[in-house]
Amino acid sequence: MSTPTGTYLIRGAAILGGATEDLLIRDGIIAARGIDLQQSAATGTAESLDAGLTVIDGTGLVALPGMVDIHTHLREPGREDAETVETGTRAAALGGYTAVHAMANSNPVADTAGVVEQVHSLGISAGWVDVRPVGAVTVGLAGKQLAELGAMADSRAGVRVFSDDGICVHDPVLMRRALEYVKAFDGVVAQHAQEPRLTEGAQMNEGEVSSVLGLAGWPAVAEESIIARDVLLAQHVGSRLHICHVSTAGSVELIRWAKERGINVTAEVTPHHLLLTDDLVRSYDPVYKVNPPLRTDADVQALRAGLADGTIDVIGTDHAPHPSEHKECEWAQAAMGMTGLETALSVVQETMIETGLMTWADFARVTSTVPAQIGRVADQGRPLEVGEPANIVLVDPAARWIVDPAAMATMGRNSPFRGLELPGRVIATFFHGHPTVLAGALNTPRRILGGDA
Amino acid sequence: MKHLLSTQDLSRDNAILILDTAEQMAAVGDREVKKLPALRGRTVVNLFFEDSTRTRISFEAAAKRLSADVINFAAKGSSVSKGESLKDTAQTLSAMGADAVVIRHWASGAPHRLAATDWIDAGVINAGDGTHEHPTQALLDAFTMRRHWSALTGSGSTGGDLAGMRVAIAGDVLHSRVARSNVWLLRTLGATVTLVAPPTLLPIGVESWPCTVSYDLDQTIAQGVDAVMMLRVQGERMNASFFPSTREYSRRWGFDDNRLRALDELGMKDTIIMHPGPMNRGLEISSAAADSPRSTVLAQVRNGVSVRMAALYLLLSGDFREPAVQPSKETTR
Amino acid sequence: MTSFANTPIPARVVLNQADIDRALTRIAHELLEANKGPRDLVLLGIPRRGYPLAVRLAEKIAAADATVDPAHIVGQLDVTMFRDDLSRQPTRPPLATVLPQSGIDDKVVVLVDDVLYSGRTIRAALDALVDLGRPRIVRLAVLIDRGHRELPIRADHVGKNLPTAAVEKVRVHLTETDTVDGIPTDEVVIEGSV
C-alpha cells in the first residue's frame, strides 16, 4: 500500500471553475469537501490536524481532476536519449497530469507482455503519474500479424488501449480482426489514420502552403479515408474504436456522422492542432514538423468546434520528444513530433476557454474524465467528491507565461509553442493524495511501499 | 539584401536592380579581360548536395569573373555522405571564412535553414532547393525575356520590366522549382503567366498562384504568347502514373514540330522558346524547336553567368553585412 | 558642443553657371593645346557627374575644331567594381561603361570627374582602364580640386582649386543630373562650413 502521504487542505479553490470550496486530502483520497473545512475539521475531527496539516491557499485557483493523457511518447525503452519514463512523467506531473498512456513505438516495441510490464513498472518506480502502457496492435508495428493483445491485457500492466501509433493499421482485414479481438477484454484500438500510399514522402499538409514551399503534400483525404473505413468497420463488428490526433475538418464531419449513427467511436485532438496552422511551415523550421501535419485555419476552427460540441472526445498531447539533432537539420530530414505535456493545459485554455467555447468543467471532461474512461483507468478521471482518489490539479488561470523549452522537465526541446505567451499555470498536482507538484514546481514522487499496487 | 533564397519575397526594385546589374556584368563578358576585381579576397563556397554541373560551373564562372576565391564542396563523396549534418557542414564552412554559400540541395527549404540559423554568418544564395525554388534561374530567364521584350517594345535595356508580356510555362509544374521561381518573379515584373500541364503535374493549391492554369498547350499558344518555357520531365516521373506514356506526354504537352509550325502560321514571329536545360529532346521539346532561331536556350546559359555575377556582387558588396571575418581575427591574434 | 543635426547646413555657392562654363571652356582649350590639336583625344567621364562634364568638354572641343564629332570622342567609364571601399559603403549598383567606337588603345585618354578629393576614385579608374585597353597617355581633368589627397595622384587640368576643410562637403550640381528646388541647375556649393 502507499505510504502515508500527509494531509492537505486546499482552501477556497473554484471546483471545476465553479463554486469555491475547500478540499481535504488524506490517505490518498478526498476526505472532505465543503466550505471552511478548517473550522469544521478543527472542531470535528481533531486527529486530522495533528499529523501536520499542510494548508494550500486556493484563492483564485481552479481545482480540476488530474489530467489523463491518452497519447504520450515516453521513448523508453530504446530512445533514452530522447526521453525516459522518469523525465517524461516529471513533465506530465508539471503539466497537471496524473496518468499518461505510453505509446507502443518504443524499441523494442511494446508488443509483448514483457515490454508493457517493464514500462508499467518503470512508471511505478518513477512515481510521478500512472503510466498506462499502450500495446502494439501488430508485431513490431509491422502491420502484418496481430501482437499478443490478450497477453498484454492480462499482464500486470492491464493494457486496454492498443495502437500502432506512428503507423496506420492500413490492412483492412487486420484492422477488422483487431477491432473484433479486443472486445474479449474490453479493449480499444486507437487508430493512427494515415493512408500510407497517399502519404508517401509527405512532408506537410497538402494545400496552398505546400504548393508554394515545394514540400510533398499530405492530403486530408489520407486521414479521412481511413477514418471513414474504420468507423464502418467498427459498426460492422460492433467494436470500440478510438481515432488518434484528428487533424482535419473532414475528419470531424466523419466522426460526427459516425456518432449520429451510434457507432462506438471516440476521437482525440492535440493541443497543437487546436492552435497552430501550416502557415508556420513557411519558416522551414522542423519544430513545426509533426504527424499528422499542421493544417489550415479552417481545420483548426472545425477541430475547436468539434471538441466543444463533443464530436471530439478528448485532448491527447501526442507528446513526442526528440533529441535536438533530429530537428536541427533540413525539413525533409527532420523527425516528426512535438512536445506537449507541459503546455497542453495552457494551449487548451487559450484555444477553448479564453475563446468561450468551453468551461473548466468541459476541460475536466476532455482532459480527464473521458480519457480515463477510454483507457479504462478506474481510479483516474473521477469526480472531485468525498471518497474518490485524490488526483487533483490546481490551476492558476490568471497566470501568463512565456514558453521556454529549455526550462521544461521533458528532455525534448521541440516545443512549437516556444516564445508564445500562454495563459494558465499548474500550481499543484496531487497524485493519489501525494503532491508531485507544489507551488508550481516539481515536489517529490509518490513512493509505494511493498511494490506494485 | 543579405540572402537570395526565393523570388517570392524579391521586390520589384530589387529584381530590376539585379537585372540592371547583370546587364553591366554582361558587358564584361564581351571584353578581352573578362574579370572584375570587385570580390577580390572574398570566398564563395559552392555547396552542392545534388549534382548539377551546369549550375555549379555557372556560379563558379560568375564568382571567378568577380575575382572571388571559389571552393567547390560536393556533398557526394564527402563527409556529408558519411552522415555529417547540414549544421556541421555549415559550421565548418563558417570556420573556414566563407563569405557566401551557394547551396544546391535536394531538400526544399535547406537554404532557408542555413540563412535562418546561426550555423553560418554568410550570405546564402539558393541554387535550387528540392521542388521549391531556383531564383537565379528565374532571374536569368527574366533577363533573357527582358532583352527580347525591350528590343520589341523599344524600351531601354535597363530599368524596365516585363509589363504586358505573355509567358506560358509548360510541363511538370508540380516538381519544378524553376516554375515556382518564375511565377513569382514574372508576376512581380508585370508579365502574365499561364501554366500548362497535365492535371497530375499541377500542385494542389495552384489556384492561389498569381497565374492562370491550362490543360491545353495548343489553345494557350493560339491565344497568343510571347514566350513559351518548356520544363524538363524528370525520368523518375515517367513510371509513377503522372501520365500514361512519354509518347502521350510529348503529343499533348511537348513543344513539337507541329506547335513550332503553329507559331509561324499564327503569325507569332517574335515568340521565343525557352528551356532551363538540360533538355529531353523529343520529349518536352523537339530538336527543331530547340535549335530554331526562336530558341533562347544558349542565351539563357550565357545570361546565367551575368545574373549570378550580379547576385554575388550585390550580396557580397555593401555594408549590409557585418564583415564575416571574426574567426580569422581570432586566429591571427 | 552644439549639435548641428537640427540646424540647416549653411551652403555657400562657390561657382555659378557662368563660372562652370568658363572653367570648362578653359579646360577644353588647355586640352587642345597640351595635345597639339584634337588628334587621338578620348574623354571618359566617370559617372555620375563626370560624364556630363566630359560631354560638355567634347562639345567645346568640337566648337573649337570643326573636324571633331563630339559623339566620337566621349565615353563613360564606370569604376564601381574597382573601388577599394565596396564593403564599407552601401551597395552600389554598377553603371554602364561605354567607350567611343575608336576604343582607347594608343589614344590620349582624358579622365573627367567633377571633384578630385582623396584620389581613390581615380585610382579605381586607372585600374578599370587597364582592363579595357592600353592608352598612349592618360590625363585627368576635374572641375574642382578640393585637396586632401590620400594617394599620389594629381590633376592635369583643374577648373578651380578649392581649399576646404575635411568636414565640409563640396556638392556639384549639373543641369543634366541635378535639380535645386526642382529646377535643373549648374552650381558648385560648399556645405557644412563652420
Side-chain angles (χ1 to χ4, degrees):
Chain A
M1 288 312 294
S2 63
T3 48
T5 53
T7 307
Y8 297 88
L9 178 66
I10 301 165
R11 286 212 322 203
I15 311 293
L16 305 188
T20 298
E21 289 185 58
D22 296 356
L23 291 169
L24 184 68
I25 299 167
R26 192 198 297 128
D27 296 333
I29 60 163
I30 299 173
R33 169 178 165 176
I35 313 279
D36 285 338
L37 281 186
Q38 196 161 25
Q39 267 78 36
S40 53
T43 52
T45 52
E47 85 173 310
S48 66
L49 296 178
D50 60 7
L53 174 76
T54 306
V55 177
I56 297 167
D57 182 5
T59 309
L61 305 185
V62 174
L64 300 164
M67 293 159 66
V68 177
D69 193 10
I70 195 71
H71 193 145
T72 313
H73 295 275
L74 293 179
R75 301 295 187 214
E76 192 176 0
R79 285 315 300 260
E80 291 83 356
D81 60 328
E83 190 84 288
T84 62
V85 171
E86 173 71 28
T87 59
T89 54
R90 283 173 178 237
L94 280 167
Y97 286 93
T98 53
V100 299
H101 287 78
M103 275 297 170
N105 62 342
S106 50
N107 184 14
V109 170
D111 56 2
T112 62
V115 178
V116 293
E117 286 190 350
Q118 183 199 354
V119 173
H120 185 238
S121 68
L122 284 169
I124 289 167
S125 45
W128 298 105
V129 297
D130 272 340
V131 174
R132 307 286 307 171
V134 173
V137 175
T138 66
V139 175
L141 309 177
K144 299 284 182 217
Q145 179 190 350
L146 283 188
E148 290 193 347
L149 308 181
M152 289 188 275
D154 294 343
S155 75
R156 271 175 298 154
V159 175
R160 289 296 175 271
V161 181
F162 298 90
S163 181
D164 278 2
D165 178 65
I167 301 169
C168 182
V169 182
H170 64 92
D171 178 338
V173 175
L174 202 58
M175 185 63 185
R176 173 197 170 145
R177 299 279 184 258
L179 285 169
E180 287 177 304
Y181 195 78
V182 298
K183 284 201 282 187
F185 32 83
D186 194 24
V188 64
V189 177
Q191 175 67 297
H192 175 115
Q194 179 191 351
E195 210 294 313
R197 281 281 285 152
L198 282 172
T199 50
E200 268 173 25
Q203 297 294 327
M204 68 169 295
N205 179 51
E206 183 166 29
E208 193 177 325
V209 180
S210 68
S211 80
V212 170
L213 296 184
L215 288 171
W218 190 310
V221 63
E223 174 172 312
E224 293 155 5
S225 59
I226 293 291
I227 294 176
R229 182 198 76 178
D230 286 355
V231 295
L232 293 173
L233 278 176
Q235 179 184 39
H236 182 62
V237 299
S239 292
R240 198 151 73 90
L241 168 69
H242 178 72
I243 306 294
C244 297
H245 41 53
V246 166
S247 72
T248 75
S251 296
V252 176
E253 281 306 303
L254 285 163
I255 293 161
R256 189 174 285 133
W257 173 86
K259 286 188 166 183
E260 281 163 6
R261 300 188 106 196
I263 297 170
N264 196 354
V265 60
T266 53
E268 89 199 17
V269 63
T270 70
H272 47 267
H273 286 111
L274 288 174
L275 183 61
L276 310 177
T277 69
D278 64 351
D279 223 35
L280 291 163
V281 183
R282 292 184 194 274
S283 66
Y284 288 104
D285 185 339
V287 80
Y288 301 115
K289 185 172 177 181
V290 67
N291 175 355
L294 299 179
R295 305 286 189 182
T296 67
D297 188 58
D299 293 305
V300 167
Q301 300 309 323
L303 291 169
R304 291 183 184 184
L307 182 63
D309 70 18
T311 302
I312 295 172
D313 303 83
V314 298
I315 297 289
T317 62
D318 197 4
H319 174 80
H322 287 288
S324 62
E325 61 267 28
H326 290 187
K327 290 289 191 181
E328 286 188 332
C329 54
E330 303 88 326
W331 179 277
Q333 301 276 66
M336 291 182 275
M338 304 170 163
T339 62
L341 286 169
E342 288 160 88
T343 44
L345 180 139
S346 294
V347 173
V348 177
Q349 184 185 339
E350 167 88 6
T351 55
M352 302 303 295
I353 294 181
E354 308 278 290
T355 52
L357 290 167
M358 281 190 359
T359 63
W360 284 109
D362 296 323
F363 180 96
R365 169 172 51 82
V366 302
T367 62
S368 180
T369 317
V370 181
Q373 286 166 0
I374 292 171
R376 300 295 191 250
V377 191
D379 55 3
Q380 295 275 355
R382 303 295 304 163
L384 300 181
E385 299 292 352
V386 174
E388 295 286 355
N391 294 312
I392 301 168
V393 55
L394 286 180
V395 176
D396 177 2
R400 295 194 72 85
W401 61 295
I402 291 172
V403 179
D404 174 13
M408 290 185 179
T410 173
M411 287 164 68
R413 296 290 169 261
N414 48 311
S415 171
F417 309 112
R418 134 200 97 183
L420 285 186
E421 190 186 287
L422 292 174
R425 189 153 191 95
V426 172
I427 301 301
T429 307
F430 287 89
F431 174 41
H432 285 288
H434 176 81
T436 51
V437 174
L438 270 182
L442 217 52
N443 184 35
T444 54
R446 169 176 178 250
R447 293 296 172 208
I448 295 171
L449 296 179
D452 288 359
Chain B
M1 260 197 316
K2 168 157 184 185
H3 308 294
L4 179 58
L5 304 175
S6 152
T7 57
Q8 201 178 22
D9 46 14
L10 199 60
S11 68
R12 183 180 177 280
D13 284 353
N14 275 339
I16 287 177
L17 174 66
I18 294 171
L19 298 184
D20 287 353
T21 303
E23 278 292 351
Q24 308 312 331
M25 298 299 183
V28 177
D30 299 333
R31 300 185 345 198
E32 206 170 293
V33 180
K34 294 181 178 56
K35 206 171 172 96
L36 293 167
L39 299 185
R40 207 156 46 91
R42 302 304 201 91
T43 301
V44 174
V45 176
N46 285 326
L47 178 57
F48 275 54
F49 289 83
E50 188 181 72
D51 287 335
S52 175
T53 310
R54 293 163 154 264
T55 305
R56 184 181 57 70
I57 61 176
S58 181
F59 270 107
E60 189 170 348
K64 286 181 170 170
R65 281 194 186 170
L66 291 170
S67 306
D69 294 319
V70 180
I71 298 173
N72 287 313
F73 190 131
K76 276 190 177 165
S78 73
S79 51
V80 175
S81 57
K82 294 175 192 132
E84 187 179 86
S85 69
L86 178 63
K87 177 181 174 181
D88 288 334
T89 304
Q91 288 178 336
T92 302
L93 298 178
S94 180
M96 287 177 181
D99 296 297
V101 176
V102 174
I103 177 173
R104 161 70 72 107
H105 203 296
W106 53 266
S108 300
H112 285 71
R113 292 291 283 157
L114 275 194
T117 56
D118 58 3
W119 303 340
I120 187 167
D121 173 47
V124 177
I125 296 185
N126 181 358
D129 62 328
T131 54
H132 176 224
E133 287 221 30
H134 195 352
T136 58
Q137 176 71 43
L139 284 160
L140 76 89
D141 291 337
F143 181 90
T144 306
M145 287 185 230
R146 192 176 73 162
R147 281 197 157 177
H148 176 70
W149 194 240
S150 64
L152 280 184
T153 58
S155 52
S157 63
T158 60
D161 60 14
L162 300 176
M165 193 169 181
R166 299 161 300 175
V167 182
I169 301 175
D172 181 0
V173 175
L174 177 62
H175 301 98
S176 178
R177 50 194 172 211
V178 176
R180 283 176 179 77
S181 286
N182 263 295
V183 166
W184 317 133
L185 181 61
L186 292 173
R187 176 259 330 250
T188 301
L189 292 174
T192 53
V193 178
T194 304
L195 297 175
V196 188
T200 46
L201 290 174
L202 285 165
I204 297 288
V206 73
E207 325 71 72
S208 65
W209 292 13
C211 57
T212 53
V213 172
S214 165
Y215 304 140
D216 191 330
L217 184 53
D218 292 317
Q219 194 181 45
T220 303
I221 291 170
Q223 283 168 355
V225 62
D226 302 302
V228 184
M229 183 185 300
M230 304 309 297
L231 301 172
R232 179 179 166 78
V233 178
Q234 301 286 348
E236 60 260 38
R237 314 292 171 225
M238 293 176 194
N239 298 314
S241 291
F242 286 107
F243 45 86
S245 69
T246 53
R247 291 178 64 84
E248 176 158 328
Y249 182 91
S250 66
R251 263 200 312 275
R252 290 189 74 103
W253 321 102
F255 203 93
D256 59 9
D257 295 355
N258 288 333
R259 295 186 171 109
L260 184 61
R261 269 194 298 277
L263 286 184
D264 295 335
E265 286 159 10
L266 292 162
M268 284 183 253
K269 63 179 174 59
D270 295 317
T271 297
I272 53 173
I273 302 168
M274 309 180 72
H275 193 296
M279 293 181 282
N280 293 305
R281 284 174 185 257
L283 179 47
E284 73 265 3
I285 188 166
S286 72
S287 268
D291 299 333
S292 81
R294 296 177 183 276
S295 167
T296 61
V297 172
L298 291 177
Q300 287 169 269
V301 175
R302 203 160 38 240
N303 296 339
V305 177
S306 307
V307 162
R308 288 168 179 133
M309 285 172 78
L312 283 168
Y313 170 72
L314 292 171
L315 253 55
L316 281 177
S317 71
D319 60 352
F320 288 104
R321 292 169 22 69
E322 296 286 305
V325 291
Q326 250 61 19
S328 54
K329 264 187 196 159
E330 272 168 42
T331 52
T332 52
R333 209 174 284 151
Chain C
M1 286 282 290
T2 49
S3 166
F4 292 98
N6 295 324
T7 53
I9 303 163
R12 179 159 56 92
V13 176
V14 288
L15 267 72
N16 62 23
Q17 180 158 24
D19 298 334
I20 292 171
D21 191 60
R22 238 183 337 267
L24 291 176
T25 305
R26 179 168 51 72
I27 292 173
H29 284 99
E30 283 178 18
L31 286 171
L32 283 170
E33 194 178 323
N35 197 49
K36 298 185 173 59
R39 196 179 145 84
D40 291 339
L41 264 186
V42 167
L43 308 182
L44 293 183
I46 298 170
R48 288 175 56 220
R49 296 184 186 80
Y51 178 68
L53 291 175
V55 171
R56 293 191 198 183
L57 284 172
E59 282 162 355
K60 288 186 184 295
I61 288 169
D65 186 325
T67 63
V68 173
D69 178 349
H72 284 164
I73 64 163
V74 75
Q76 170 166 287
L77 179 68
D78 181 56
V79 305
T80 309
M81 309 294 280
F82 296 82
R83 302 193 76 95
D84 60 6
D85 58 355
L86 282 176
S87 57
R88 295 189 171 105
Q89 302 278 331
T91 303
R92 299 161 182 246
L95 299 166
T97 289
V98 183
L99 300 185
Q101 271 184 334
S102 59
I104 59 167
D105 284 347
D106 298 320
K107 300 290 180 192
V108 177
V109 169
V110 181
L111 298 173
V112 182
D113 205 358
D114 54 348
V115 177
L116 178 61
Y117 186 23
S118 67
R120 288 176 189 272
T121 301
I122 303 307
R123 200 278 310 154
L126 291 170
D127 278 0
L129 215 48
V130 167
D131 284 357
L132 293 169
R134 188 176 182 282
R136 183 158 56 87
I137 297 172
V138 180
R139 300 197 191 283
L140 175 60
V142 297
L143 181 61
I144 303 291
D145 182 348
R146 61 166 296 192
H148 303 284
R149 210 78 72 245
E150 294 167 5
L151 294 171
I153 281 169
R154 61 162 184 80
D156 302 283
H157 308 281
V158 177
K160 185 170 177 61
N161 283 298
L162 206 57
T164 56
V167 294
E168 292 174 319
K169 285 191 161 55
V170 175
R171 299 227 186 266
V172 175
H173 300 133
L174 299 177
T175 51
E176 294 92 331
T177 51
D178 306 280
T179 58
V180 174
D181 298 329
I183 300 155
T185 303
D186 269 357
E187 66 178 20
V188 179
V189 299
I190 293 187
E191 291 175 354
S193 304
V194 185

